[in-house]
Amino acid sequence: HKAIRRQRQMCIRDRFSNEEELINWYLEQLYQIELELEGKLNPNYRHYLEKKHTCLYIGLASFYGLTSYYSMD
């Protein structure tokens, strides 16, 4: 489970040519989810978006070495 998450984060990082592009991608993804969460949503979809938001936040935090604040275990 953790190894799969790390592999996914590495694949995301490999898509971008510099740190600024990577950070902007994470921030844009987080912003879009936050906008969606403001609306009326099916509870299952809301739960999915909340988990996705958490995963993206963890990915962004790991870029800065802040993973100790969140755990998905």
Side-chain angles (χ1 to χ4, degrees), residues 14-56:
D14 291 344
R15 282 191 233 170
F16 303 98
S17 60
N18 62 51
E19 290 178 11
E20 184 177 351
E21 286 181 10
L22 174 65
I23 291 168
N24 286 337
W25 181 84
Y26 272 109
L27 293 174
E28 179 63 27
Q29 296 296 309
L30 289 166
Y31 177 71
Q32 291 300 322
I33 291 171
E34 289 166 6
L35 287 178
E36 269 195 90
L37 287 171
E38 289 178 6
K40 293 183 180 180
L41 300 171
N42 170 305
N44 291 330
Y45 186 60
R46 175 174 292 283
H47 180 71
Y48 161 77
L49 286 178
E50 288 168 346
K51 285 193 74 139
K52 184 175 179 180
H53 187 273
T54 300
C55 289
L56 286 164

